[in-house]
Amino acid sequence: GRTAALLIGDLWRWGLRDEAMQQDMGKAWRQMMRWVVTDVPSPVELRVEEKSANGAVTLQVMARDKEFQPLDSATVHVYVTPVTSNPATSSNAVRLLAEASASAPGHYAATYIPRETGGYRAEAVVLDANGAELGRAEAGWASDPAAEEFRSLKPNRALLEKLAKQTGGEVISADGLERFVKSLPNRKAPVTETIAQPLWHTPAMFLFALVCFAGEWGVRRWKGLP
């Protein structure tokens, strides 16, 4: 909050002149009190931050106790509900458990990845160590992953060339398509096949086990153990 000091001992005489002055003085006191408490933080604050281009968001929760100090021993649940035109879909809320931050006291975070385009509403519920509710906060955002993809219709040639180089391919220009098609029958296409085989059934593992068994038997005979 804020702090204000009026170091005038006879300020009360202001309202004793007449009724109009008294109303003006009362208005000034009310405005001053509102100014003092205008920036008082809420017990629970919820902020939505975009995390990556795939639409994932980080739900940041700030929890405070009755003395407005950061609350570390709280349990924070975040309920995310899609806001759509279908009432049946809008009623399906996803509950997330926000994890406490290791660097900032009283801060909790949860990650949510939207599956559909549209609006989303998040509600954070903070519980104390005894399970009693301390406060709630709401926030919302709109998700449109396709907007980022179609933001520019110009091909990203640098990215395409980088992907082709990393995967062993090549970027074909429009005037080289005919040459590329003719070369397809002579190109070797790699075939990847995944084979799973138990390690215990391999000859090397069997030989290793046999050596261990013979070594143990030899040590026991050497030390005179049964």
Side-chain angles (χ1 to χ4, degrees):
R2 297 175 176 176
T3 302
L6 296 177
L7 306 180
I8 302 177
D10 58 351
L11 182 65
W12 58 276
R13 296 178 181 273
W14 180 16
L16 298 180
R17 296 182 181 179
D18 52 32
E19 185 176 358
M21 288 292 183
Q22 187 175 8
Q23 294 178 357
D24 193 19
M25 181 181 179
K27 181 179 179 181
W29 277 108
R30 291 192 300 270
Q31 291 178 346
M32 184 176 62
M33 291 300 103
R34 292 192 184 99
W35 178 85
V36 169
V37 300
T38 185
D39 288 338
V40 174
S42 302
V44 180
E45 296 181 2
L46 175 60
R47 186 173 67 256
V48 180
E49 297 180 356
E50 294 186 3
K51 189 174 182 180
S52 60
N54 63 349
V57 297
T58 301
L59 304 172
Q60 299 282 353
V61 181
M62 177 62 185
R64 301 180 179 89
D65 56 14
K66 295 181 179 180
E67 297 180 356
F68 295 97
Q69 298 299 323
L71 185 61
D72 292 332
S73 60
T75 301
V76 180
H77 296 284
V78 181
Y79 298 88
V80 181
T81 306
V83 182
T84 62
S85 58
N86 187 358
T89 306
S90 300
S91 61
N92 296 330
V94 177
R95 186 181 68 173
L96 305 175
L97 180 61
E99 298 181 357
S101 174
S103 57
H107 285 76
Y108 302 81
T111 302
Y112 180 78
I113 303 178
R115 301 300 181 185
E116 298 179 357
T117 300
Y120 289 84
R121 181 177 64 251
E123 182 180 18
V125 181
V126 179
L127 308 176
D128 61 8
N130 299 324
E133 182 177 326
L134 297 178
R136 295 171 177 251
E138 291 187 358
W141 78 97
S143 176
D144 190 5
E148 184 67 24
E149 180 179 357
F150 295 104
R151 188 180 301 276
S152 176
L153 300 179
K154 183 179 179 180
N156 191 346
R157 187 175 182 84
L159 178 60
L160 295 177
E161 292 178 351
K162 180 180 179 180
L163 293 176
K165 183 178 180 181
Q166 293 178 349
T167 58
E170 60 178 309
V171 178
I172 308 300
S173 58
D175 54 357
L177 287 178
E178 185 176 356
R179 176 183 55 82
F180 173 73
V181 173
K182 292 181 179 179
S183 65
L184 286 178
N186 300 325
R187 291 176 176 263
K188 295 182 179 180
V191 178
T192 303
E193 184 178 359
T194 303
I195 300 176
Q197 184 178 3
L199 184 63
W200 180 254
H201 294 168
T202 59
M205 181 58 67
F206 176 76
L207 182 61
F208 176 74
L210 185 61
V211 170
C212 291
F213 176 76
E216 181 187 12
W217 179 81
V219 172
R220 286 180 175 273
R221 294 285 293 180
W222 177 41
K223 297 294 184 178
L225 299 176

